[in-house]
Amino acid sequence: MMTTPAHATARRTDRLAAGAATVTVVLWASAFVSIRSAGAAYSPGALALGRLLAGAVTLGAICLVRREGWPPRSAWRGIAVSGVLWFGVYMVALNWGEQQVDAGTAALVVNIGPILIALLGARLLGDAMPPRLLAGMAVSFAGAVAVGLSMSGEGGSSVLGVVLCLLAAVTYAAGVVAQKPVLGRASPLQATTFGCLVGAVACLPFAGQLVHEAADAPVSATLNMLYLGVFPTALAFTTWAYALARTTASRMGATTYAVPALVVLMSWLFLGEVPGLMTLAGGVLCLAGVAVSRSRPRATAPEREPERA
């Protein structure tokens, strides 16, 4: 069977989008390790602002080098919504929530985000909900539950913490759905740069805390905060936008279920936290679910018409 140029281009686009999504989930998983270090010295709002400022400076420099202009006027509404909700409120709520509940509870609550993305995407964007996507999300969510339960019990939980983690999940989902239409009008770099800048402006009330805490914070915590801004924010959010522009919000949301599995692996490698069997099994389920959700049914070859005599 010969491959047509259009088919070859589509396959190449799919591979590039998958590669960009992989970069995103790996860097987002690494963020949880860095947040643990930086969060010990910085309060939730100050950490979010410092991260966003570092990300905005990095992205702004790249835009200047690439001579990226301003996004078109039609894209600004979506950029503002995603910037406030996803870059701003989400980061503050997640940082604060993880200080109020144990790691397992936080993982359980925040991981309803991809499910909300699928529901909002189907309702507001007309995203399809194929059986493979639903099955993969169900498997991955079961894995996230297993990881969460295996991590529970390491600290107390509070109603405030659960509400904050739920707020993080909702704003994450709403921000993704708001960003998707923007990518039809603005480039991934424009959407990420100005979304990050909007988020930083929304977090400016924490500027006093950031200045005060930076004076007393150890160098390692500040370096982790800068790492969060440059890599999990500037780079990972840009590769996310690139991949999101080439697929549906629902499929991209399902891809983030790989994050809990990678967090387990990175905690094992870099923090010496040896996972139990239940944690490992949950991580494997997360990855298996992502594989199922991103798979496509095999196209059946068209039947040949019988030759006429």
Side-chain angles (χ1 to χ4, degrees):
M1 180 179 177
M2 295 184 63
T3 302
T4 64
H7 183 65
T9 301
R11 289 186 61 182
R12 181 173 179 274
T13 300
D14 285 345
R15 286 196 295 267
L16 289 174
T22 301
V23 171
T24 295
V25 297
V26 170
L27 290 177
W28 282 356
S30 74
F32 284 87
V33 179
S34 293
I35 287 173
R36 281 193 171 187
S37 173
Y42 288 97
S43 58
L47 178 57
L49 176 58
R51 174 180 178 176
L52 289 167
L53 288 175
V57 170
T58 303
L59 289 164
I62 296 173
C63 282
L64 288 176
V65 171
R66 290 178 55 87
R67 296 184 178 180
E68 290 269 347
W70 289 78
R73 184 177 300 178
S74 60
W76 270 104
R77 180 178 178 181
I79 288 174
V81 172
S82 64
V84 171
L85 293 181
W86 193 11
F87 288 84
V89 178
Y90 165 78
M91 290 190 183
V92 176
L94 182 62
N95 293 343
W96 191 4
E98 288 190 356
Q99 292 182 357
Q100 303 293 317
V101 301
D102 60 56
T105 302
L108 285 172
V109 178
V110 172
N111 273 299
I112 70 171
I115 298 174
L116 295 176
I117 290 174
L119 294 175
L120 290 173
R123 175 68 176 173
L124 301 177
L125 303 177
D127 286 354
M129 299 283 282
R132 285 173 180 257
L133 174 62
L134 296 174
M137 292 183 70
V139 172
S140 289
F141 186 70
V145 170
V147 171
L149 291 176
S150 68
M151 295 165 62
S152 296
E154 302 174 3
S157 297
S158 69
V159 174
L160 175 61
V162 172
V163 171
L164 288 168
C165 289
L166 181 60
L167 176 62
V170 171
T171 51
Y172 157 52
V176 170
V177 173
Q179 188 188 60
K180 173 62 177 176
V182 170
L183 297 170
R185 305 179 181 95
S187 70
L189 183 56
Q190 287 175 326
T192 305
T193 300
F194 289 93
C196 185
L197 186 59
V198 169
V201 171
C203 290
L204 281 179
F206 302 106
Q209 292 180 12
L210 176 61
V211 172
H212 176 75
E213 293 168 7
D216 299 325
V219 174
S220 60
T222 301
L223 289 177
N224 271 288
M225 181 176 65
L226 295 176
Y227 169 82
L228 287 168
V230 175
F231 293 98
T233 303
L235 178 56
F237 273 77
T238 302
T239 52
W240 165 277
Y242 176 88
L244 180 60
R246 290 156 178 80
T247 187
T248 65
S250 303
R251 289 189 72 198
M252 280 301 294
T255 302
T256 62
Y257 273 124
V259 171
L262 294 175
V263 170
V264 170
L265 177 61
M266 290 180 180
S267 297
W268 188 0
L269 294 176
F270 301 115
L271 300 179
E273 299 177 354
V274 180
L277 290 177
M278 186 175 180
T279 307
L280 288 174
V284 171
L285 280 177
C286 287
L287 294 177
V290 171
V292 171
S293 66
R294 294 194 64 86
S295 65
R296 298 181 184 274
R298 292 183 178 179
T300 57
E303 296 183 3
R304 295 181 59 186
E305 296 183 2
E307 295 182 1
R308 297 187 180 184

